[in-house]
Amino acid sequence: MFDAGPAGRSGLFAGKVAIVTGSESGIGRETARLLCANGAAVVLNGRNAERLGQTRAALEAAGFAVASYVADVTDYAACEQLVNTAIDAFGRLDILVTNASISQRAYFADMQPEVFKQVMDSNVYGSVFPLKAALPHLIKWRGSVTFISSISALNGMPSGSAYCAGKAAVANLAHTLRLELAGTGVHFGVVHIGFTQNDPEKRVLAADGQPVPIAHRPPRWQKTQAEVAAIIVRHIRRRRQRTVISALGQLIVLVHTYFPRLGDWVVLTTIRRMRHFYE
C-alpha cells in the first residue's frame, strides 16, 4: 500500500491507484485531479513531456500522490511501461481511464488513408493497448475500466468518420469484455462525452494530417472540463456500464433508437444551414 500524502488519506478512492491516459491536459487532466482529490494515487500520461511535467508539478503542489510517464498509447511496449510505472510507484492498479485520443475535422472523401488510420489507431488501439497491459493487475484487484467515447459515436457525425468509428468501436469492446470477463469482477464502462470546453491549444487533424483548431461549438452547448470530469468520476464510483453526457446526448440516443430517419434529417439539415458546425 502506498502513502498517498496529506491530501490522499481519505476519500471515495482512498487506497486506490489509477492511470488516466491523455491526462497532461483537458478532460484527462481534470479527471486525474478529481480522482486525486477523492483519495486516489494517479499515474499521469501524455506525449508532450513539458505539459505533462507542468500538470504533475501542479498536482504535487496540491499535495496529491502522482507519478507520470510520457507514452504514445498506440505503442504497446510504451503501454507496458506506463503500467509498470503505476506498479513501481504505488504497488497496484485499480482504475484505468482510456481518455487519450485524436479527433479530426475532415470529410471522408478528402482524407488521406494514413490520416484515417492515425485517428482510428488513437481511438481504438489507444484504448486496447493500455487495457491489455493493465488487465492482469485490474483482475487481481477487481478494478475498473472506463473508455472515454463520444456522443458522436451514437449516431455518427459528418467530418468525423474515423473518430466516430473509433469511439463506437470502444463502446462495443466494453460490451464484449463485460461478457468475456464477467466472472473477474472487473468493471467495464463507457462514458459518451458531449461538447466540452477545450484548452486554447487543442488541435484536431485536417484531411492531410495537419493540426487545425476544432470546429466551432456554441459556448452555451459546452460543459466545462471540470463538469465532465465530475461525471466521469461518478461513473467510475458507481461502476456504471454506460453514461451519456448532456441533454443533447440523451436526445441522440432517443432519436437514434426510435426515430433514426428523423435523426438523419436533422443532421443533413444542419449540414446545409450550419456548415461551420462541422468544417
Side-chain angles (χ1 to χ4, degrees):
M1 186 63 63
F2 63 90
D3 179 4
R9 288 179 180 155
S10 63
L12 296 170
F13 297 102
K16 304 296 185 182
V17 177
I19 292 175
V20 182
T21 68
S23 47
E24 66 185 22
S25 60
I27 293 170
R29 177 190 60 220
E30 297 311 309
T31 301
R33 188 193 310 277
L34 193 53
L35 285 168
C36 285
N38 280 276
V42 178
V43 178
L44 307 168
N45 158 257
R47 296 189 301 172
N48 185 303
E50 181 179 0
R51 279 205 301 264
L52 186 61
Q54 291 170 348
T55 298
R56 176 173 178 169
L59 294 181
E60 287 179 331
F64 297 134
V66 293
S68 61
Y69 187 74
V70 177
D72 180 344
V73 289
T74 64
D75 179 341
Y76 182 67
C79 291
E80 289 182 306
Q81 290 303 312
L82 174 61
V83 172
N84 287 341
T85 298
I87 302 306
D88 292 344
F90 304 118
R92 60 186 288 165
L93 179 59
D94 304 271
I95 298 166
L96 173 65
V97 181
T98 65
N99 167 74
S101 73
I102 297 172
S103 189
Q104 66 176 100
R105 185 177 172 182
Y107 290 111
F108 178 82
D110 301 325
M111 289 185 75
Q112 296 297 315
E114 61 272 18
V115 178
F116 192 98
K117 182 178 185 299
Q118 184 179 357
V119 176
M120 281 290 290
D121 283 353
S122 172
N123 286 281
V124 178
Y125 293 108
S127 288
V128 170
F129 286 170
L131 173 57
K132 188 67 175 175
L135 188 58
H137 303 285
L138 294 167
I139 290 175
K140 178 179 179 180
W141 297 104
R142 300 176 69 87
S144 171
V145 181
T146 295
F147 299 116
I148 303 303
S149 184
S150 167
I151 62 173
S152 63
L154 301 171
N155 196 42
M157 182 181 71
S159 76
S161 54
Y163 179 76
C164 295
K167 291 302 189 185
V170 297
N172 201 301
L173 174 64
H175 189 182
T176 301
L177 294 176
R178 280 196 293 271
L179 299 174
E180 286 189 8
L181 299 168
T184 66
V186 177
H187 158 246
F188 294 96
V190 181
V191 175
H192 293 272
I193 64 171
F195 300 132
T196 306
Q197 294 174 3
N198 293 290
D199 293 341
E201 65 272 16
K202 171 76 172 181
R203 294 294 183 270
V204 298
L205 298 186
D208 60 358
Q210 293 300 308
V212 295
I214 196 166
H216 172 75
R217 299 288 185 265
R220 67 182 182 277
W221 292 4
Q222 298 179 337
K223 288 190 177 296
T224 67
Q225 295 170 0
E227 287 172 332
V228 172
I231 294 170
I232 293 170
V233 170
R234 184 164 64 246
H235 165 97
I236 297 168
R237 177 171 61 84
R238 295 179 177 176
R239 296 173 78 90
R240 294 183 55 122
Q241 292 188 1
R242 183 171 81 160
T243 297
V244 179
I245 295 180
S246 80
L248 176 60
Q250 297 290 348
L251 180 61
I252 288 173
V253 172
L254 175 66
V255 172
H256 176 64
T257 303
Y258 297 105
F259 310 102
R261 290 187 180 181
L262 173 61
D264 290 348
W265 177 83
V266 170
V267 172
L268 292 171
T269 299
T270 60
I271 290 176
R272 292 194 299 270
R273 299 182 180 179
M274 300 172 59
R275 294 193 69 87
H276 65 283
F277 184 81
Y278 301 102
E279 297 178 350

